[in-house]
Amino acid sequence: EPEVTQTPSHQVTQMGQEVILRCVPISNHLYFYWYRQILGQKVEFLVSFYNNEISEKSEIFDDQFSVERPDGSNFTLKIRSTKLEDSAMYFCASRRLAGAYTQYFGPGTRLTVL
Amino acid sequence: AQKVTQAQTEISVVEKEDVTLDCVYETRDTTYYLFWYKQPPSGELVFLIRRNSFDEQNEISGRYSWNFQKSTSSFNFTITASQVVDSAVYFCALSEATETSGSRLTFGEGTQLTVNP
C-alpha cells in the first residue's frame, strides 16, 4: 500500500540554523500538507499546497517558513532561522483531489532545536 | 472558525472493557468531514475513519464503532473489548468539504487511552 515518507526521522539543529524537512507524498495525490505537533500537544495545521502554490496557511506559518515542490515527487518544508519553540514533530500529509478528503500522514520528523 | 473538543484527556481501562472516546465539534459549514486518527507510542498518525456531514449512519468495523449525531455535534468512538494494543492517543478532527481551499484538518486535543492487562 502506498505511503507518505519523510526524511530525516530526527533532526537536531542549533538555534538560528536553517533546516529542510523532506516528504514524498503518495504518488497520485495532488494536495500536500504540513502539520506540527509540539510534544504532548495537539496536531496543528501549518500549510496546504496544491498546483504548485500555497492554498492555505495558518498564523503559525510566518515568513520563517516556506514550502516547495522541487520535483515531481518531493515536498519540502524549510525553516529559515530556527527558534527553540520550533522544536516539534512535523508531519507531512497528502490526499487525492476529486472528492477524497482523507489525508494520509507520514511518520513525522522530530525536530530538536538547541 | 472550526473547533474540536475532546474533553477526556486520559482514560485508563482494563483489557476487555468497552471504552468510548468523546468528540464534540463546532463549525459554520454545512458540509464537512469528521475523522478519527490514532497515534500509537511510535508517533505516527494512523487514519481510522472518515464521515461526511450528510451521513449520520453509525458505523462498525470489527471492535471499533462510531456514533455520529449532528443534532449534538458529536462524533464518538467506541472500542469494544479493548486490548493492550489499543493503547494510544486518539485524535478527532474536522475539515470543511470544499475544493476551493486546502481543507485543513482541525484537530482536538487528543485522548490518551491506556489499556492495562
Side-chain angles (χ1 to χ4, degrees):
Chain A
E1 188 173 316
E3 293 179 332
V4 177
T5 60
Q6 290 185 242
T7 53
S9 56
H10 190 190
Q11 172 106 38
V12 181
T13 189
Q14 295 291 325
M15 192 168 56
Q17 295 295 305
E18 173 184 287
V19 295
I20 297 176
L21 310 183
R22 291 184 166 79
C23 168
V24 179
I26 295 172
S27 63
N28 63 345
H29 285 192
L30 298 176
Y31 261 102
F32 314 118
Y33 303 82
W34 285 102
Y35 293 82
R36 81 170 185 193
Q37 184 183 30
I38 295 171
L39 186 64
Q41 298 187 20
K42 68 177 175 182
V43 181
E44 301 174 289
F45 168 77
L46 292 177
V47 65
S48 61
F49 190 86
Y50 169 68
N51 201 25
N52 281 319
E53 59 183 28
I54 291 173
S55 51
E56 191 180 5
K57 60 183 181 179
S58 72
E59 55 281 0
I60 302 169
F61 194 88
D62 62 21
D63 292 344
Q64 292 298 313
F65 292 90
S66 62
V67 289
E68 192 179 32
R69 187 150 163 85
D71 53 42
S73 59
N74 289 284
F75 178 52
T76 62
L77 174 69
K78 183 195 290 187
I79 308 175
R80 206 181 330 275
S81 177
T82 49
K83 309 186 192 82
L84 294 176
E85 54 265 36
D86 293 327
S87 294
M89 181 76 93
Y90 288 82
F91 290 104
C92 173
S94 69
R95 69 170 174 95
R96 288 183 289 128
L97 178 53
Y101 292 93
T102 300
Q103 295 179 28
Y104 294 92
F105 285 79
T109 292
R110 179 163 299 287
L111 176 64
T112 302
V113 182
L114 302 176
Chain B
Q2 300 181 331
K3 186 177 177 184
V4 176
T5 301
Q6 295 178 254
Q8 305 150 307
T9 307
E10 294 182 29
I11 299 177
S12 183
V13 299
V14 177
E15 211 170 12
K16 297 193 179 129
E17 282 184 22
D18 299 347
V19 57
T20 295
L21 310 182
D22 297 333
C23 172
V24 174
Y25 62 92
E26 294 174 31
T27 180
R28 277 179 269 188
D29 298 319
T30 53
T31 306
Y32 51 89
Y33 283 89
L34 293 161
F35 303 81
W36 277 95
Y37 285 86
K38 174 182 180 180
Q39 187 174 44
S42 48
E44 71 270 26
L45 286 165
V46 179
F47 165 71
L48 294 177
I49 191 171
R50 181 191 81 211
R51 305 296 293 178
N52 72 49
S53 51
F54 294 110
D55 183 1
E56 287 193 69
Q57 271 195 341
N58 293 329
E59 182 163 339
I60 297 174
S61 175
R63 294 185 299 106
Y64 295 169
S65 61
W66 290 271
N67 183 356
F68 175 31
Q69 293 200 339
K70 213 166 173 178
S71 59
T72 56
S73 298
S74 65
F75 184 45
N76 297 336
F77 172 30
T78 298
I79 302 174
T80 303
S82 58
Q83 300 175 0
V84 173
V85 293
D86 295 327
S87 297
V89 180
Y90 290 85
F91 288 99
C92 181
L94 168 71
S95 81
E96 59 185 355
T98 171
E99 295 299 344
T100 58
S101 73
S103 294
R104 64 162 77 180
L105 284 170
T106 299
F107 284 83
E109 301 284 342
T111 298
Q112 169 71 61
L113 173 65
T114 302
V115 182
N116 297 298

